[in-house]
Amino acid sequence: LRHAAAWPRRIDLSFNLSAHDIVSAETVLSIMAAVQGSGVEPSRITLEITETAVMRDFNLARDHIGLLRSLG
């Protein structure tokens, strides 16, 4: 993210999150902190999650996705 902050705005980033990542509060908070401290606009970042990740713990995954979306 540090390097991507200097890239042209037209270049977006995409990251895959595992089932473990999306239900881990620690991981979600770390991602949020990294994005907020990076200088990269959150709208340039796509986080990809598999259906399996959501089905592992739907309610927790939904809540964490909501937190990540709140970044923009």
Side-chain angles (χ1 to χ4, degrees), residues 8-48:
R9 291 175 44 108
R10 70 181 183 281
I11 299 175
D12 292 335
L13 302 159
S14 182
F15 299 94
N16 292 319
L17 298 179
S18 71
H20 173 47
D21 292 336
I22 199 62
V23 296
S24 167
E26 183 177 326
T27 300
V28 170
L29 293 174
S30 292
I31 292 168
M32 293 177 75
V35 170
Q36 290 172 326
S38 71
V40 174
E41 292 180 38
S43 61
R44 291 178 53 199
I45 301 171
T46 299
L47 300 174
E48 298 179 2

Side-chain angles (χ1 to χ4, degrees), residues 6 19 22 30-31 47 49 51 56 59 65:
I22 199 62
S30 292
I31 292 168
L47 300 174
I49 323 167
E51 294 84 4
R56 181 173 182 180
N59 291 326
I65 290 168

